């Protein structure tokens, strides 16, 4: 208001005068440079830090300077608007930094052992002084455990989603829906402990002369617990997107409901369901904690998920990271690179598939 | 998104009127109705008789069983964890809830959850304090500031951040991030040691601060993606009304977007809290694993329930396993409460539900 009053005295109202004054870009940049310069002078002058502090203080000085200058030219409200805009942009930059660092380290440290030996051999008979050793057994373990888990979780999850969308009414269905959501938040270590106390310590002794047995299958069960809610949720969302007239058309032709679901609803929603399953698989492949607790973590190649210990890529990374051998870190980073590659390829493929899916548009 | 539920209820009435065969009993059998309760419905003389154990009932039964499986699993988790935890807690010679050491493998087991529960809550809270403002900033950027050409790939990158396995973040935190954090801790200690949380005289690095920062990076995408969805659903009318009244962009966000999204943001933060509480491997690799209740966040130290399970599992005997399962039970209970509260908030606002992944 005060701004308007001040301007109004004796000024002819031409379009140039009505428009509010804007802070020129050059001034904006000038404040930024000045802020950084003052910060550098303060930090290096008093010797209280390095370039990181210069940047942080520079941003603070820039914000203060912007507040003062823009407050003079544009008024306090616009100045505050500018400040928040700067902060929001800064938050974005701040979030991209760690990701860039992770990707850079993964690639630069991961290529050290990216050779045939790494993918063709296991850690059997590899001592602390051996530079060889690979992750073949771990890759086998990951593929088998995730595969078995998918075989169990997908039918169960899709059927559960069918219940929620097609049959579920009333309080019970709402309870199930609520706990599916709650179940997505169960920590992976708790799923591992559950399978440990249920399968490894109580059920597996029945098949193994009374001694508990760690196995890849136990890890699959734990991964199933983690995958199930994700699959139910994504499938449920997809089934809901199937247009009602498709179902009604089928019913009008006298097709029973179960056949309608299997032959009309599911095929229509299939691309979306596959996307959800791939995301769940990607998440399960990266889980370490449950495998650590129930798979046994053998160092040799074991194709049988039901007998004897197995490892997995994530567990292999963890084991190698804790290994004292000077060759272990390189193995850990290469395994991490492999794991991230698998997970990211699955995730990106799933997202691209979702984008092509006509249903969710 | 918002009109999904209504379209769904249309579908359901259609399916009820469909060929479920509920009303066709007696029709077409050629026999006069045995009771007055269900008279034959005219017309369909050729309609097949409803089979009592046909595919329809079987398929429905299967899907109901699959749906019920979720409840069964959650109840089973509680039952089996309790069944293994109770003997261990019985064997404990100290108070499980208040004792602050962990010696479950000795002949006279002594262990308590106090340090672990404290460490879990401390790391999670610091992680959230760091992550939530940044996550909200990114969410606002993606929903209201960024041009669409930038928002789509950046949102994609944030989603990828969520897909990176926690063991990779743990490895990165330990091998790469520890050094800057150590320097930063030294700097904090040099100038701010009069604040108790930055006190102590080293060594620094493998500390609560490192664990919390790694955790913050991992929580970030969850809070971001849910808040972004919520901010996006702000009614356009509210935004335009605010702008038409002369608001600046920030004032529009403060008066229209943030109040509308508040319950969703609270739920997003609680989901992030749930993930932070349960995070295992990244913390097992970055915390100092020390049994000691201390608010000092930069000295080597820190522990959490999940990290302790991962670290101590290898050497655990039977009581030791029971003790770890007991601590897992506590973790399960905490995360269950946090998650249920978050979901309850989301469910109260129906329009948020479909986007709350």
């Amino acid at each position: 208001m005060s701004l308007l009053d001040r301007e109004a005295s004796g000024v002819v109202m031409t379009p140039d005068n009505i428009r509010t004054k804007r802070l020129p870009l050059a001034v904006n940049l000038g404040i930024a440079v000045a802020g950084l310069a003052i910060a550098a002078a303060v930090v290096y002058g008093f010797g209280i830090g390095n370039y990181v502090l210069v940047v942080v203080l520079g941003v603070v000085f820039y914000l203060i300077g912007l507040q003062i200058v823009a407050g003079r030219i544009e008024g306090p409200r616009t100045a505050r608007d500018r400040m928040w805009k700067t902060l929001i942009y800064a938050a974005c930059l701040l979030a991209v930094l760690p990701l860039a660092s992770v990707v850079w380290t993964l690639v630069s440290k991961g290529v050290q052992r990216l050779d045939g030996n790494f993918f063709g051999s296991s850690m059997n008979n590899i001592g602390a002084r051996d530079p060889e050793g690979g992750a073949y057994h771990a890759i086998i373990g990951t593929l088998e455990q995730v595969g078995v888990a998918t075989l169990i979780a997908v039918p169960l999850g899709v059927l559960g989603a069918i219940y929620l969308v097609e049959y579920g009414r009333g309080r019970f269905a709402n309870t199930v829906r609520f706990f599916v959501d709650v179940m997505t938040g169960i920590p992976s270590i708790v799923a591992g402990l559950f399978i440990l106390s249920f399968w490894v310590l109580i059920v597996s002794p029945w098949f193994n002369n009374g001694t508990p047995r760690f196995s890849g299958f136990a890890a699959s069960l734990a991964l199933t617990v983690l995958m199930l809610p994700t699959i139910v949720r994504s499938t449920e969302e997809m089934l809901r997107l199937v247009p009602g007239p498709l179902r009604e058309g089928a019913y009008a032709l006298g097709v029973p409901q179960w056949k309608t679901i299997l032959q009309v609803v599911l095929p229509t929603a299939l691309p979306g369901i596959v996307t959800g399953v791939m995301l769940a698989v990607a998440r399960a492949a990266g889980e370490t904690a449950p495998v650590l607790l129930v798979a046994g973590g053998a160092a040799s190649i074991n194709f049988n998920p039901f007998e004897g210990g197995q490892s997995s890529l994530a567990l292999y990374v963890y084991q190698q990271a804790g290994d004292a051998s000077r060759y272990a870190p390189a193995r850990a980073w290469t395994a991490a690179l492999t794991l991230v590659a698998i997970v990211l390829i699955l995730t990106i493929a799933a997202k691209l598939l979702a984008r092509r899916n006509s249903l969710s548009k | 998104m918002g009109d999904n539920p209504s379209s769904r209820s249309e579908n359901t009435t259609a399916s009820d009127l469909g060929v479920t065969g509920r009303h066709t009993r007696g029709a077409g059998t050629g026999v006069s109705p045995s009771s007055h309760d269900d008279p034959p419905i005219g017309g369909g003389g050729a309609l097949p008789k409803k089979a009592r154990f046909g595919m329809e009932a079987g398929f429905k039964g299967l899907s109901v069983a699959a749906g019920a499986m979720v409840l069964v699993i959650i109840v089973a988790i509680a039952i089996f964890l309790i069944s293994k935890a109770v003997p261990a807690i019985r064997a404990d010679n100290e108070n499980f809830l208040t004792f602050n050491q962990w010696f479950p493998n000795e002949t006279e087991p002594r262990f308590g959850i106090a340090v672990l529960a404290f460490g879990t809550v401390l790391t999670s809270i610091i992680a959230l304090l760091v992550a939530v403002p940044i996550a909200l900033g990114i969410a606002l950027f993606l929903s209201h500031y960024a041009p669409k050409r930038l928002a789509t790939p950046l949102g994609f990158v944030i989603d990828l951040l969520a897909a990176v396995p926690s063991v990779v973040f743990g490895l990165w935190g330990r091998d790469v991030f520890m050094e800057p954090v150590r320097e930063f801790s030294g700097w904090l200690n040099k100038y701010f040691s009069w604040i108790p949380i930055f006190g102590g005289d080293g060594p620094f690095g493998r500390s609560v601060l490192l664990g919390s920062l790694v955790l913050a990076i991992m929580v970030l995408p969850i809070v971001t993606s849910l808040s972004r969805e919520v901010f996006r659903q702000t009614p356009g009318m509210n935004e335009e009304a605010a702008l038409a009244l002369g608001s600046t962009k920030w004032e529009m966000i403060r008066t229209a977007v943030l109040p509308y999204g508040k319950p969703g943001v609270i739920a997003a933060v609680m989901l992030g809290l749930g993930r932070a509480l349960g995070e295992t491997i990244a913390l097992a690799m970055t915390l100092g694993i020390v049994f000691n209740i201390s608010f000092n966040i930069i000295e080597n130290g820190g522990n959490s329930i999940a990290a302790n399970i991962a670290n101590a599992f290898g050497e655990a005997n039977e009581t030791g396993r029971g003790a770890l399962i007991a601590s897992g039970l506590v973790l399960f209970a905490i995360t269950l409460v946090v998650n249920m509260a978050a979901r309850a908030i989301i469910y109260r606002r129906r329009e948020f539900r479909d986007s709350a992944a």
Side-chain angles (χ1 to χ4, degrees):
Chain A
M1 268 302 162
S2 61
L3 200 75
L4 266 182
D5 292 341
R6 205 171 41 202
E7 300 259 309
S9 57
V11 181
V12 186
M13 290 301 235
T14 61
D16 278 346
N17 291 327
I18 299 173
R19 219 169 274 151
T20 51
K21 279 185 185 160
R22 306 283 297 170
L23 189 71
L25 186 66
V27 177
N28 203 338
L29 288 176
I31 299 171
V33 173
L36 270 179
I38 297 174
V42 168
V43 169
Y44 291 118
F46 291 97
I48 53 171
N50 58 7
Y51 65 97
V52 181
L53 189 64
V54 173
V55 173
V56 173
L57 268 186
V59 171
V60 172
F61 287 150
Y62 169 68
L63 284 175
I64 295 172
L66 190 69
Q67 190 73 10
I68 295 169
V69 176
R72 274 285 168 82
I73 297 178
E74 299 178 320
R77 289 172 52 214
T78 318
R80 206 171 304 135
D81 184 49
R82 278 187 186 280
M83 185 183 80
W84 281 104
K85 189 176 175 184
T86 315
L87 283 176
I88 283 171
Y89 276 70
C92 268
L93 283 180
L94 209 58
V96 174
L97 280 181
L99 186 70
S101 168
V102 170
V103 171
W104 169 246
T105 338
L106 264 179
V107 174
S108 64
K109 292 199 178 192
V111 290
Q112 287 174 30
R113 280 299 315 278
L114 209 60
D115 47 37
N117 180 262
F118 184 80
F119 294 103
S121 63
S122 72
M123 288 300 288
N124 206 10
N125 292 327
I126 299 291
R129 288 159 190 276
D130 295 323
E132 297 96 3
Y136 183 58
H137 64 301
I139 296 173
I140 298 284
T142 293
L143 293 182
E144 285 190 355
Q145 288 154 22
V146 173
V148 173
T150 312
L151 284 184
I152 305 173
V154 167
L156 212 54
V158 171
L159 273 175
I162 287 175
Y163 165 70
L164 287 178
V165 176
E166 307 285 336
Y167 295 106
R169 306 276 170 280
R171 185 172 286 178
F172 183 68
N174 283 333
T175 315
V176 170
R177 198 169 293 136
F178 181 75
F179 276 100
V180 167
D181 281 345
V182 169
M183 203 173 155
T184 51
I186 288 182
S188 57
I189 191 103
V190 170
L193 285 176
F194 165 55
I195 297 302
L196 174 75
S197 53
F198 159 65
W199 185 263
V200 176
L201 295 182
I202 293 180
V203 178
S204 77
W206 298 347
F207 307 108
N208 196 30
N209 307 325
T211 48
R213 180 161 68 188
F214 297 95
S215 65
F217 181 67
S220 306
L221 286 179
L223 295 181
T224 305
V225 172
L226 295 171
M227 286 170 75
L228 186 63
T230 326
I231 294 181
V232 173
R233 274 293 318 191
S234 58
T235 310
E236 187 195 350
E237 257 163 47
M238 280 304 135
L239 291 183
R240 274 197 198 159
L241 290 177
V242 174
L246 275 184
R247 294 188 181 89
E248 285 154 21
Y251 297 147
L253 292 171
V255 183
Q257 194 177 5
W258 66 274
K259 231 175 199 170
T260 309
I261 293 169
L262 284 184
Q263 300 196 341
V264 177
V265 178
L266 277 187
T268 316
L270 192 64
I273 297 175
V274 172
T275 303
V277 169
M278 283 165 81
L279 289 177
V281 167
R283 185 189 160 193
E287 289 292 354
T288 319
V291 186
L292 170 74
L293 293 188
V294 299
S300 56
I301 299 167
N302 176 14
F303 279 98
N304 187 351
F306 296 97
E307 236 176 272
Q310 268 191 336
S311 189
S312 86
L313 261 178
L315 180 58
Y316 181 85
V317 175
Y318 182 61
Q319 285 171 337
Q320 291 303 315
D323 199 312
S325 161
R326 54 189 278 249
Y327 302 106
R331 288 196 285 259
W333 278 105
T334 308
L337 181 63
T338 317
L339 181 61
V340 169
I342 293 176
V343 169
L344 285 196
I345 287 172
L346 271 173
T347 311
I348 293 175
K351 301 251 168 185
L352 290 183
L353 199 67
R355 199 168 290 176
R356 289 183 51 176
N357 180 7
S358 55
L359 211 55
S360 55
K361 263 175 196 163
Chain B
M1 284 282 173
D3 37 17
N4 253 345
S6 66
S7 71
R8 189 168 154 264
S9 63
E10 271 172 42
N11 298 345
T12 57
T13 40
S15 67
D16 278 350
L17 291 176
V19 205
T20 42
R22 202 166 294 154
H23 301 291
T24 57
R25 185 144 54 103
T29 52
V31 183
S32 61
S34 53
S35 73
H36 291 288
D37 292 336
D38 42 4
I41 295 168
L47 280 181
K49 198 177 163 184
K50 187 202 174 188
R52 191 173 289 243
F53 298 107
M55 282 300 289
E56 188 59 55
F59 189 73
K60 184 172 179 183
L62 263 184
S63 67
V64 172
M69 195 67 195
V70 172
L71 299 183
V72 171
I73 288 176
I74 291 196
V75 173
I77 290 177
I79 291 176
F80 281 101
L81 290 190
I82 290 173
S83 78
K84 287 288 166 189
V86 165
I89 296 180
R90 284 248 172 84
D92 192 357
N93 289 319
E94 298 279 349
N95 187 330
F96 176 69
L97 292 178
T98 55
F99 187 60
N100 60 1
Q101 292 293 322
W102 195 263
F103 301 116
N105 300 320
E106 297 175 358
T107 42
E108 296 220 326
R110 293 179 302 130
F111 55 91
I113 196 88
V115 176
L116 300 174
F118 171 81
T120 307
V121 174
L122 181 68
T123 44
S124 304
I125 288 179
I126 298 176
L128 283 183
L129 285 181
V130 176
V132 167
I134 298 178
L136 292 186
I138 301 172
L140 281 177
F141 180 77
L142 293 177
S143 64
H144 285 86
Y145 280 90
K148 196 163 184 290
R149 254 182 318 136
L150 187 62
T152 316
L154 193 63
F156 194 71
V157 167
I158 298 288
D159 286 347
L160 288 190
L161 199 62
V164 175
S166 60
V167 68
V168 175
F169 278 117
L171 191 64
W172 174 78
R174 208 198 55 172
D175 282 7
V176 179
F177 198 42
M178 184 139 82
E179 212 41 53
V181 169
R182 175 178 293 145
E183 280 177 28
F184 180 56
S185 302
W187 183 84
L188 280 175
N189 184 254
K190 192 171 166 193
Y191 294 100
F192 296 99
S193 57
W194 44 273
I195 306 175
I197 57 171
F198 299 135
D201 26 44
F204 307 120
R206 234 182 131 89
S207 58
V208 174
L209 184 65
L210 176 64
S212 305
L213 288 180
V214 172
L215 208 50
I217 297 171
M218 300 176 61
V219 171
L220 197 70
I222 300 177
V223 183
T224 304
S225 58
L226 187 49
S227 320
R228 177 185 57 182
E229 289 306 316
V230 171
F231 290 152
R232 260 193 201 152
Q233 287 167 24
T234 313
M237 294 281 206
N238 295 11
E239 295 178 5
E240 282 157 22
L243 290 174
L245 287 170
S247 306
T248 58
K249 189 157 200 173
W250 168 248
E251 283 165 343
M252 181 271 281
I253 287 172
R254 212 192 52 199
T255 54
V257 178
L258 292 184
Y260 178 83
K262 196 172 155 200
V265 170
I266 292 173
V269 171
M270 294 185 76
L271 288 183
L273 179 64
R275 166 122 196 227
L277 289 170
E279 180 44 51
T280 311
I281 294 297
L283 285 183
M285 293 169 84
T286 50
L287 288 181
I289 313 297
V290 169
F291 275 90
N292 167 21
I293 291 188
S294 157
F295 278 99
N296 187 319
I297 63 169
I298 59 169
E299 271 192 310
N300 278 4
N303 212 336
S304 86
I305 294 178
N308 180 58
I309 294 173
N311 275 314
F313 182 74
E315 293 99 52
N317 61 14
E318 196 178 338
T319 318
R321 268 182 208 156
L324 293 177
I325 290 174
S327 70
L329 183 66
V330 173
L331 180 64
F332 176 62
I334 298 174
T335 49
L336 204 62
V337 168
V338 169
N339 273 300
M340 283 171 72
R343 293 299 175 183
I345 297 172
I346 295 176
Y347 270 52
R348 272 221 307 250
R349 294 285 291 267
R350 270 186 90 89
E351 61 264 44
F352 290 164
R353 206 179 67 196
D354 296 318
S355 56

